Amino acid sequence: MLRVLLARLAQGHRTIGFPDAPPALPDRLRGAPALDPTRCPDGCRACVEACPTGAIALDAGAGTAGSGLALDLGRCLFCPDCVEACPEGAIKYTPEYRLATRAREDLIVHGTLERLAGALDAKMRGLFGRSLKLRQVSAGGCNACEADVNVLNTVVFDLGRFGIQFVASPRHADGLLITGPVTANMRLALIKTWEAVPPPKLVIAVGACAISGGPYVDHPEAANGAGSVLPVDLFIPGCPPHPVTILDGLLRLLGRIEGDRRDQG
Amino acid sequence: MSVGDGWLGLRNGQATSLSRLPLSPFAEWRSALLAAVGEGMRIAALFAVPVAPGGAADTHEVIAVLASEEEGLLHVGRGLLAGRTYAALTPACPQAHLFERELAEQAGLTPEGHPWLKPVRFPPAGAAGGAAAQIGVTDFYRVGGEEVHEVAVGPVHAGVIEPGHFRFQCHGERVFHLEISLGYQHRGVERALAGGPDKRTLHYVETLAGDTTIGHAWAYVQAVEALAGAKIPARAQVLRGVALELERLANHTGDLGALAGDVGFLPTASYCGRLRGDWLNLTALLCGNRFGRGLLRPGGVGFDLDPARADRLVPALDAALADVTGAVSLLWETPSVQARFEDTGTVGAAAAAEVGLVGPAARASGLVRDVRHHFPTGIYRFAQVPVITADTGDVFARAQVRWLEIERSAEFVRAQVRALPAGALRAPLGPAAPDALVVSLVEGWRGEICHVAVTDGAGRFRAYKVVDPSFHNWTGLALSLRGQQISDFPLCNKSFNLSYCGFDL
């Protein structure tokens, strides 16, 4: 017993200050990509061709300011392929970790991410604002998104302090947090789990697979994400998203973090 | 030990032209395989490819990779099978049983006399492979009798965990038999890898089993580098080793915490949960992603560990190791934890060898198997990592092997980071050799990762076979439950901690 107490003393206090303090993130974190279409050489399609998931679209406006290059964060694997392919440095990753949106189309960025996730309406916030129970369903997830969702339960992130908890039974849940592209073999189990959640209920899609199918987009063995099976209330992109990105998304949904990036500086 | 003339001995990561690889009559290939396994070799991979275009219709080359730890060689043989049936290997060679079920499902070949011929992944209609089966619908093994009851768990489990189905045959609390039926995570990876490499290939392998991003990505890049005849810069080789051991550190630490959690010992569970993240953050320090996405690139690595970064990594590693040491020591010092770990979920050495276990699970049962030691490539040819074994084969042994491997891996990372060779990070990669084969093994944190690439006349993948360590080890978990209390299932399960998606592909 004494040893347990001594170990406790040695381990110290480890919960991060986020959201009151900015999170400590790796300096090489590939967060929100920033696009600068003015750098695009005429007719260059290097990034489009390099992207493994077809996340980048280029139209005739490329090479002029403010249009042309569009990147779908829902498809983006945040991999270095486009950055390495671009001859002019028109795409670069920023350390911006705030990525969650309420609408699928808000994930398509032309320069930088414009509209971050807003809070639920007053009624839903009244129900879930201080107590949100989620059932996690992995439907073809590779266990990276799952692991970095699970890590929110550790003392580092201490999800419980926000009243958010993962529960075992869908009947005790207020919503589903889905990872993976939704494999054909998990489709029925996912739908049954969703049906077992009492309304009103939420669906949160975490990671490129759950938003768009990720690397598995258009595979006959899987759907193109949770949205092709269920209505999604919150999209948290990444491959996998950093735990702080997931936490930021959840707290925005509950109105615990407000304002877009301009307000936050 | 030898397999005979019809087989070709290859080193790990050594490509060969298919013209050098004998194509034996099936019966000859079959008896050579059985004899070699009888002598102590084990099946690392077994799969079928249709004969090259222009060959006879409905004829397959069945390719086996037999690992010989004794020689440090991988013996590859292929048998030419006309028609769709053959006499099953499994009755004489139990470790072939899942491979043969896979042959039936993927290639439509029927191993006659197979005692347990059931679907492996239930590929859905519209996808490649055998006839579509409905997921989870199969003839589960049942024990009869009024006092026997059945417990079904999954696919959706209680925790934040991947899906799978477990079916227990119980007498009271005692488990007679556990049947594991997977396939829920099946994403069609192997089907999609064929025809590559292309721009998605690296992302498929990085997400084969996301907690083993470095392990699977290394197996892949090693395969394509061998096929292209590339020479990888020393600095990249070392950084790959550092990343692989960081992946092992993170997962072993997480597993020890989860084992503590499953016996209700919360201090270690809580500390290790945090510390697992500290290891992941070191991988992120290196490449920006906690799971190592983007770090390994064909030809080398995508990120450097500059001196300033190394100066941050080493103290962080020392601090994490000190905290893990403190947290894990509590496990060994607490009698109530030891009482739950010891004699729980035992798999003896003979059974482990018979079903072909790999990784920490095999080593905990006393089998000396470690790719880094027996089939070393890259930095492991120069910096040897001792093989850690235990002999009791129980949860305690699987926990202890992990802990000792944490110590060795931390030592390895510290030494390698301090002695990083100078030089380039990447070498240019030419096209893959046509009509060639390569076997690429990596000792991931769960055990042996095996990738086999077979190219066509244009250097594209005619077949790309993936064997995650979980493919071997799920059977070990089933065996560990024999005669156990059903309430020990979470503990036994965590002591293996196998991949669902790595198995389901």
Side-chain angles (χ1 to χ4, degrees):
Chain A
M1 190 62 200
L2 191 60
R3 283 187 173 138
V4 172
L5 291 172
L6 286 172
R8 174 71 194 83
L9 203 61
Q11 295 280 340
H13 175 79
R14 297 291 183 168
T15 306
I16 57 172
F18 182 82
D20 300 326
L25 293 165
D27 62 318
R28 281 176 174 170
L29 177 80
R30 291 188 292 281
L35 311 178
D36 182 3
T38 57
R39 290 170 176 244
C40 294
D42 278 347
C44 176
R45 295 179 51 82
C47 58
V48 177
E49 275 148 27
C51 180
T53 56
I56 306 173
L58 202 56
D59 61 36
T64 57
S67 72
L69 197 56
L71 200 157
D72 181 354
L73 291 181
R75 284 182 169 234
C76 183
L77 303 180
F78 296 78
C79 75
D81 294 359
C82 57
V83 178
E84 284 183 4
C86 180
E88 296 295 331
I91 304 181
K92 63 176 199 293
Y93 286 103
T94 69
E96 177 57 67
Y97 64 91
R98 293 168 288 195
L99 299 170
T101 67
R102 295 292 307 278
R104 178 71 183 85
E105 56 272 20
D106 288 346
L107 288 174
I108 298 168
V109 298
H110 295 274
T112 51
L113 191 58
E114 290 296 323
R115 193 185 314 167
L116 287 169
L120 293 165
D121 64 33
K123 185 185 167 215
M124 293 286 266
R125 276 174 77 177
L127 281 168
F128 302 138
R130 302 186 66 171
S131 167
L132 178 67
K133 309 294 174 195
L134 296 171
R135 169 67 255 197
Q136 203 276 327
V137 178
S138 169
C142 74
N143 207 27
C145 283
E146 290 79 355
D148 266 354
V149 167
N150 217 356
V151 84
L152 298 178
N153 289 316
T154 64
V155 294
V156 179
F157 300 94
D158 191 17
L159 196 59
R161 69 191 152 127
F162 306 106
I164 307 172
Q165 191 188 354
F166 289 98
V167 295
S169 170
R171 298 205 186 279
H172 301 162
D174 303 314
L176 301 182
L177 187 151
I178 300 170
T179 53
V182 186
T183 51
N185 285 349
M186 268 305 284
R187 190 186 179 95
L188 179 63
L190 174 64
I191 290 170
K192 281 185 172 181
T193 307
W194 185 74
E195 284 171 349
V197 177
K201 49 189 162 187
L202 300 169
V203 173
I204 299 164
V206 173
C209 287
I211 297 173
S212 67
Y216 304 95
V217 58
D218 294 335
H219 274 215
E221 296 87 351
N224 286 341
S228 49
V229 183
L230 299 172
V232 177
D233 300 282
L234 180 68
F235 298 89
I236 305 179
C239 188
H242 191 278
V244 169
T245 301
I246 304 173
L247 183 55
D248 174 75
L250 295 174
L251 295 179
R252 283 175 189 279
L253 184 71
L254 298 180
R256 307 285 288 264
I257 298 180
E258 285 180 309
D260 64 20
R261 64 197 53 242
R262 291 185 194 84
D263 299 334
Q264 299 273 318
Chain B
M1 214 186 273
S2 84
V3 204
D5 296 341
W7 295 66
L8 183 65
L10 292 176
R11 289 189 315 277
N12 182 13
Q14 179 192 355
T16 179
S17 162
L18 284 174
S19 60
R20 287 189 60 224
L21 185 65
L23 185 56
S24 313
F26 191 81
E28 230 169 74
W29 170 89
R30 181 181 181 282
S31 51
L33 185 155
L34 290 176
V37 172
E39 282 179 35
M41 290 195 203
R42 59 189 178 79
I43 303 176
L46 176 65
F47 61 103
V49 289
V51 288
D58 217 20
T59 303
H60 289 81
E61 295 173 14
V62 186
I63 300 175
V65 178
L66 300 180
S68 168
E69 266 79 19
E70 203 173 284
E71 302 162 287
L73 281 178
L74 302 160
H75 296 279
V76 186
R78 45 179 182 164
L80 188 65
L81 178 66
R84 299 236 160 206
T85 59
Y86 69 96
L89 303 162
T90 300
C93 176
Q95 59 178 288
H97 89 280
L98 253 174
F99 287 110
E100 292 200 294
R101 286 166 61 182
E102 192 185 42
L103 280 179
E105 191 170 86
Q106 289 185 337
L109 305 180
T110 306
E112 289 184 323
H114 192 293
W116 201 261
L117 195 56
K118 304 180 185 192
V120 180
R121 306 185 177 101
F122 302 85
Q134 198 186 337
I135 181 77
V137 178
T138 184
D139 56 332
F140 286 100
Y141 179 81
R142 295 189 89 154
V143 179
E146 273 184 20
E147 295 188 11
V148 177
H149 67 278
E150 191 174 68
V151 179
V153 180
V156 179
H157 300 157
V160 180
I161 182 174
E162 297 178 68
H165 183 76
F166 302 94
R167 192 73 71 100
F168 300 87
Q169 307 296 318
C170 298
H171 180 237
E173 289 289 297
R174 195 165 144 242
V175 178
F176 285 135
H177 181 75
L178 161 62
E179 183 164 358
I180 300 168
S181 185
L182 303 177
Y184 296 89
Q185 298 282 69
H186 180 57
R187 299 160 294 174
V189 184
E190 278 185 344
R191 176 193 56 70
L193 285 169
D198 57 39
K199 62 185 183 180
R200 273 204 214 174
T201 309
L202 185 60
H203 304 283
Y204 285 133
V205 296
E206 283 189 334
T207 55
L208 267 173
D211 48 30
T212 314
T213 295
I214 298 293
H216 274 291
W218 191 343
Y220 165 69
V221 296
Q222 182 167 278
V224 288
E225 287 158 3
L227 288 168
K231 201 165 158 49
I232 307 310
R235 191 171 179 89
Q237 299 277 20
V238 174
L239 289 174
R240 287 178 180 182
V242 167
L244 187 73
E245 298 310 320
L246 287 175
E247 188 167 87
R248 194 181 324 278
L249 285 161
N251 285 290
H252 280 8
T253 300
D255 283 351
L256 290 171
L259 284 169
D262 275 336
V263 299
F265 188 66
L266 299 184
T268 303
S270 168
Y271 307 148
C272 285
R274 187 263 296 185
L275 289 158
R276 177 179 164 282
D278 284 6
W279 296 123
L280 295 178
N281 288 340
L282 293 185
T283 299
L285 175 69
L286 185 51
C287 72
N289 180 289
R290 284 157 55 92
F291 296 86
R293 303 276 159 89
L295 177 58
L296 270 63
R297 316 293 282 173
V301 291
F303 296 88
D304 195 14
L305 187 71
D306 49 81
R309 215 166 275 276
D311 286 344
R312 286 161 65 195
L313 191 144
V314 173
L317 176 132
D318 289 338
L321 183 66
D323 282 355
V324 174
T325 305
V328 174
S329 300
L330 293 178
L331 289 179
W332 319 132
E333 291 163 1
T334 306
S336 61
V337 170
Q338 293 302 293
R340 293 282 283 110
F341 282 12
E342 283 173 358
D343 292 328
T344 304
T346 302
V347 179
E354 201 174 6
V355 300
L357 294 191
V358 295
R363 296 192 282 275
S365 292
L367 303 183
V368 185
R369 301 183 168 171
D370 191 322
V371 173
R372 295 172 295 173
H373 181 78
H374 296 104
F375 309 100
T377 59
I379 180 60
Y380 298 110
R381 284 185 293 146
F382 306 100
Q384 270 94 31
V385 182
V387 185
I388 308 290
T389 59
D391 51 17
T392 49
D394 50 6
V395 171
F396 170 75
R398 289 188 285 276
Q400 200 186 35
V401 165
R402 283 185 173 86
W403 161 241
L404 295 171
E405 290 187 1
I406 286 173
E407 287 190 303
R408 296 287 95 76
S409 293
E411 212 168 87
F412 176 94
V413 172
R414 193 185 295 114
Q416 294 306 321
V417 167
R418 285 292 179 221
L420 268 182
L425 293 177
R426 274 161 99 164
L429 198 69
D435 294 317
L437 175 145
V438 62
V439 183
S440 176
L441 303 185
V442 170
E443 186 72 20
W445 61 275
R446 282 194 186 92
E448 178 182 283
I449 294 161
C450 176
H451 289 200
V452 188
V454 184
T455 58
D456 62 16
R460 317 296 297 177
F461 296 142
R462 199 171 127 203
Y464 196 94
K465 181 74 212 146
V466 175
V467 187
D468 186 85
S470 306
F471 192 81
H472 301 281
N473 284 7
W474 277 111
T475 310
L477 172 62
L479 288 182
S480 76
L481 256 288
R482 293 262 169 100
Q484 294 292 303
Q485 302 273 304
I486 190 170
S487 50
D488 280 336
F489 174 66
L491 183 60
C492 293
N493 188 23
K494 195 51 78 176
S495 75
F496 283 87
N497 191 14
L498 302 175
S499 175
Y500 297 77
C501 58
F503 176 93
D504 289 342
L505 297 175

